[in-house]
Every structure is written in structure tokens, then in C-alpha cells.
Amino acid sequence: MSQKQHWHDKPEGLPSREVTQGPERAPHRAMFRAMGYDDEDFAAPMVGIANPAADITPCNVHLDTVAGAAIEGVEEAEGMPIEFGTITISDAISMGTEGMKASLISREVIADSVELVAFGERMDALVTVAGCDKNLPGMMMAAVRTDLPSVFLYGGSILPGEHDGREITVQNVFEGVGAVASGDMTEDELADIERHACPGAGSCGGMFTANTMASISEAIGLAPLGSASAPAESEERDDVSHRAGELALEAVRDNRTPSEILSKKSFENAISLQVAMGGSTNAVLHLLALAAEAGIDLTIDEFDAISQRTPKIANLQPGGTRVMKDLHDIGGIPVVIRRLLDAGLIHGDAMTITGRTISEELEQLDLPDDESIDVDFLRPVSDPFTDEGAIKILSGNLAPDGAVLKATGDDAFHHEGPARVFESEEDAMQYVQEGGIESGDVIVIRNEGPRGGPGMREMLGVTAAVVGQGHEDDVALLTDGRFSGATRGPMIGHVAPEAYVGGPIAALEDGDAITIDISERIIETDLSDDDIDRRLKARDEPEPAYTSGVLAKYGESFGSAANGAVTNPSAKR
């Protein structure tokens, strides 16, 4: 008797019974038969394979292969795989353009679309495939909303390129633009870097947003340990994908859903890993959104509390020089988790998608002995790169609800300087490229928040141009928008409340003195509260940037960045 025949008596709780069982469902089965499904399929759990494959980014160009291996895994585990598509936006290609406003909105569209298909077609389980940055939180949010047995499957990262004997990524290309503008690099050299930075398929290779969220998928329990680091173009990625399909059926049999896996401990584990690895600031936004979707109380201040007690032990790009492939070669994310667990910085009893705890999962893996790992980009907890984690939450009279910084340099950074205020990213970029930037400046870019943008654009073009011109340590940038995971330097984003809703950042004028102190977690202006209130009352109420279409619709729905910029009306706003 095959396993599919065993599933013929589906438990009443499986949603697919509503479209596959009984004589009244003959029309529904007729539709399935047109696509090649048969009686054995109808007796099996229906597993949706959500696949955002697209030719618009190397992060997703190979995902049909990744999804195909997952489909094979579902079939071999005697399930009924149903593949369906959703969108993606290439953050790197839209970066620095008006199109970047679509990026965060795409997180919501992905979550909405996967939720709709799973709900409408009565899926029993999901394998959610992800490539580019917003795919990852969008897919995890969809799994949480549906609360179906779900396995998160990352498409893997790109291999590093090479230039002058060193590993390079797209970060080097963005910074090269600034170096050319300042005369520190020739256009010919930039052209050579451009041609070698991205050698094939996969998500950007450093510890940028995609790899940060992929790493977090392991620590939070929605993906099996060891699944994040295998390169996109590798046999190991095929094995991970195949296993994801099998695991989805195991989760159905055990009714292992996101609500059974996720807990406050899961989120604390995710944050510990993020700050220890120097992960992207975007993970703050996405973890807050995931927690809101899951109904788990998580505040932005908790990121700072965990970061203060968790040392930074990994040093990958953008702060360092190494990439995800280098970490994979020494055992991947589980090696980092094991060090944090041994130091009491990870909850080993937190559950995972396999039905085993983090501690139990580590025991199942064939990892190298910790003592044998001797590399320049991963250190013991007892000898970290910095005593505190990389994520800092700053506050003060410019950001009463908080702002986010990823420290890629000196933890004791202190900066005082005049504001250079810009109402958009384009205006700031022009200022930088024309050589207007001066040592000591605090570049302020506002009206780029979740509602004001809308969509909270990432600004790697500006930040990379600043760094590329040699101002990594003496110029700061402040915005209610976001930064790429590839951003480095004293760049402070997610300022809340945002300018559009009347946050204090809207009161700033050119020349106002701004103080930034990382160790004290301060970001403030010397304006008095009365001065700020007076200026805010005198300003004209801003008009929405878009009055129709998808940007207007989602722009009206976004909540504060301090709560994850969610649009789901039932989630924490």
C-alpha cells in the first residue's frame, strides 16, 4: 500500500478535503485531472509550493530549479505538490530610483498573495521559496498568517566575484560609484568591478538583508538548521530543497504549524543571531512585523537589550570582507548558533520545524569541532570582534520611538555636526555626487518613511557614495527611510515617528546641530521641545506622494517602522 493510499482517509482537519473528497467535488477533481493529477494525488495532502521565480534579479532567476527539487521531495514523500507564483522586486536594480518605493510594499504583496492562494485553494501545507530581500519576510509572514504546516526554503546566495585577487560583491560596485565621483577610482576600474561582482545566480553574497533573514529563518525555527548557507548554484542547495519538500509532509502528519513553533524565545534567538553576525538593520523591521503577525509581544527596545549582552563574533561583508560561502565552508549558521548556545545566549529549548529543539537539532548535524575552526571572520564568544552586538537602537528628541543603526565601525562613535536637510533621496544623492559633502555633516533625508515615501526606500546609493568618497567615519546620515544590508558607516535609519506623520525629524532645518552617540544610544538636536513644536505647527501638512494605484493603497495602510511597518489590520500597529 502506498503512502498516498494511506492518506486516503484524510483527517477531517485538512483543508484540501473540501476540494478533493466526495461525489459533490467531482467538478473540482475534473479541474485537477486536466493538470495531470489523479486519484492517488487526491488522497494525499496538498502542498503549495510558493515560487517567486523571475528573470528580473539573479536572486530569483534560478528558483524554478529550487522549487523543482522541493516538488520532487513532496512527491517522494507521497504528497500532492501544487506550484504557484508570486512577485519579486529586485532591490539592487531598483536602488536609487523611484522604483525602490515598491520594495517594502512587495513584502506585503508577497504575504498577501501567498495567503490568498493557500486560503482560496484549500492548501494543507506550504513550502515557501525565497530569493531577493523582501521575499524572505514576506514568505514567513504568509506562513504565520495561514498557520499551515510550512517549511521556509531559501534559494541560496551568489558566489563572490573576484577583482585584483580579492572577493567582491555588488557592495563594491555601489561604493565604486562614490570613488569614481571623488576621483579615487577610474571609470575603467569600476567597469571591471561591475563585470565581475555578480558571477551567477543567487542572492547578494554578504551578510546583507537576504542572507540575514535566511540565517534568521534557522534561528527562529521556520527552516531546518543548516539550510541557509549552501550557495544557489550547488548540489547542496538541491539537497536542501528536496529535504524541504519531504519535511512539509512530516509537518502535516504531526500538525506542526508556525503557531506551534514560534514563541518569544524564537524571536530572542533570531535577534541574538542577527546582532552576533552583524546582520542587516532590515531584520529589525521584519522581525517586528513577524512578531506582530504572530501575536507575540516584541518591542524595538528589546533588540538593543539583546545586543548589549550579545557580542559580535562574525565579521562578514559589509563590515568585513568575507561572504556567506566562506561561512558555509566551515559549517554554516549552525556553527554560530552553537557558539551562542554554549555561551547561554540562545534558548536551546526553542522548537524548530523538524519537531526537535535547537539543541536537539545541533546534535543531529555533522559539524566540525569548534576547536578546529580557525578563520579570520568568526571568533569565539570569549574573544569577540566587539563586546556588544552590531544593532543599536538610538532615541532622543529626533527619534522618540527609536531609530536603528548597524555598527560596522567604532562602537564608541560620537558625532556632532550641522544638519544638511533633504526632502528626498534624489536631492541628497545629487548633493553628494556634486561634491557638496563636508567633514562633520549630518545628511538628513526625510519623507522617505513607510507612509511618506511611501515604502521606506533603501538608500545604498547615497550611503555607498558617502563611503566611496572617503567619509565613512566623519559624515553621518539620518533618515526615516531604510538602508540596504550592504550599507556601512554611521547611517541611522527607521527614524520614528516619520516626517510624514509629524515626527520631530520634520522640524529640522539646515544648520541645526545634531548629536549622535552610539555608546549612549543618543540621537538628538539642540532644538528645545518648544522650538520643535513651533516648527511642526508652522509646517504645511504634506500631501500623499501618490493618490492612486498600489503605492497609494499600501501607503495609507502602513504602520510605524517602530512596529515593523505592517499593513495587516489585525497586527500590532
Side-chain angles (χ1 to χ4, degrees), residues 100-364:
M100 188 64 198
K101 296 181 179 185
S103 171
L104 186 60
I105 292 173
S106 78
R107 182 191 76 175
E108 304 300 298
V109 173
I110 290 166
D112 290 352
S113 62
V114 174
E115 178 190 9
L116 280 172
V117 174
F119 174 79
E121 302 305 313
R122 317 315 288 154
M123 302 288 183
D124 298 321
L126 290 169
V127 176
T128 56
V129 185
C132 199
D133 293 2
K134 305 311 173 293
N135 297 181
L136 289 87
M139 289 294 183
M140 289 187 240
M141 288 162 66
V144 170
R145 287 186 196 170
T146 63
D147 204 31
L148 294 173
S150 301
V151 182
F152 177 80
L153 174 57
Y154 183 41
S157 63
I158 195 171
L159 294 172
E162 184 175 326
H163 174 73
D164 280 351
R166 62 188 177 102
E167 292 182 342
I168 59 171
T169 68
V170 72
Q171 172 193 343
N172 302 95
V173 189
F174 275 102
E175 292 183 1
V177 172
V180 168
S182 65
D184 293 330
M185 181 183 291
T186 66
E187 291 188 20
D188 287 345
E189 183 176 3
L190 177 60
D192 188 61
I193 293 174
E194 169 194 332
R195 284 164 171 76
H196 292 92
C198 301
S203 302
C204 296
M207 193 47 59
F208 310 150
T209 302
N211 277 329
T212 298
M213 294 306 298
S215 303
I216 280 172
S217 73
E218 293 188 26
I220 208 169
L222 294 176
L225 290 190
S227 63
S229 62
E233 297 180 307
S234 68
E235 291 184 7
E236 293 162 294
R237 178 52 53 191
D238 291 340
D239 293 341
V240 167
S241 304
H242 190 279
R243 174 60 181 144
E246 296 175 330
L247 189 54
L249 271 296
E250 294 177 19
V252 171
R253 294 189 184 101
D254 296 338
N255 193 30
R256 196 177 309 127
T257 63
S259 62
E260 297 292 321
I261 296 168
L262 296 177
S263 64
K264 187 62 176 286
K265 289 181 177 180
S266 305
F267 283 88
E268 290 175 349
N269 285 350
I271 297 169
S272 294
L273 182 68
Q274 175 199 6
V275 302
M277 295 188 69
S280 169
T281 53
N282 282 307
V284 176
L285 197 75
H286 300 325
L287 284 170
L288 287 167
L290 273 168
E293 299 281 3
I296 292 173
D297 188 29
L298 183 69
T299 69
I300 196 169
D301 292 332
E302 291 177 77
F303 286 81
D304 199 70
I306 292 173
S307 191
Q308 288 195 45
R309 67 173 182 255
T310 307
K312 181 175 179 285
I313 61 172
N315 194 35
L316 305 172
Q317 283 197 12
T321 60
R322 300 304 186 94
V323 297
M324 190 67 141
K325 172 62 164 60
D326 297 307
L327 182 60
H328 179 70
D329 289 342
I330 62 167
I333 305 304
V335 169
V336 184
I337 291 177
R338 183 175 62 185
R339 290 190 177 186
L340 295 174
L341 177 66
D342 290 345
L345 299 168
I346 287 279
H347 301 288
D349 58 347
M351 187 54 63
T352 76
I353 182 59
T354 65
R356 293 182 289 269
T357 65
I358 289 278
S359 293
E360 291 168 340
E361 273 293 278
L362 285 172
E363 293 175 0
Q364 299 284 321

Side-chain angles (χ1 to χ4, degrees), residues 1-14 16-17 20-22 39-45 78 124 252-253:
M1 178 180 290
S2 74
Q3 187 64 54
K4 286 188 181 180
Q5 290 170 327
H6 168 75
W7 277 107
H8 186 71
D9 297 323
K10 289 184 182 180
E12 291 293 334
L14 289 185
S16 67
R17 285 183 60 90
T20 62
Q21 302 296 299
D39 289 344
E40 284 196 353
D41 291 307
F42 304 146
E78 308 295 349
D124 298 321
V252 171
R253 294 189 184 101

Side-chain angles (χ1 to χ4, degrees), residues 435-510:
I437 193 169
E438 296 180 9
S439 179
D441 278 352
V442 179
I443 299 171
V444 177
I445 307 175
R446 62 190 179 198
N447 298 310
E448 294 283 4
R451 296 191 63 185
M456 220 179 164
R457 280 193 287 185
E458 291 180 4
M459 302 184 193
L460 179 58
V462 176
T463 62
V466 171
V467 172
Q469 291 188 26
H471 291 291
E472 180 179 356
D473 300 317
D474 64 348
V475 168
L477 192 150
L478 173 67
T479 181
D480 50 12
R482 295 183 295 125
F483 297 125
S484 164
T487 290
R488 61 191 176 106
M491 313 296 179
I492 301 160
H494 306 205
V495 169
E498 62 177 294
Y500 183 81
V501 301
I505 190 175
L508 285 175
E509 297 177 357
D510 279 347

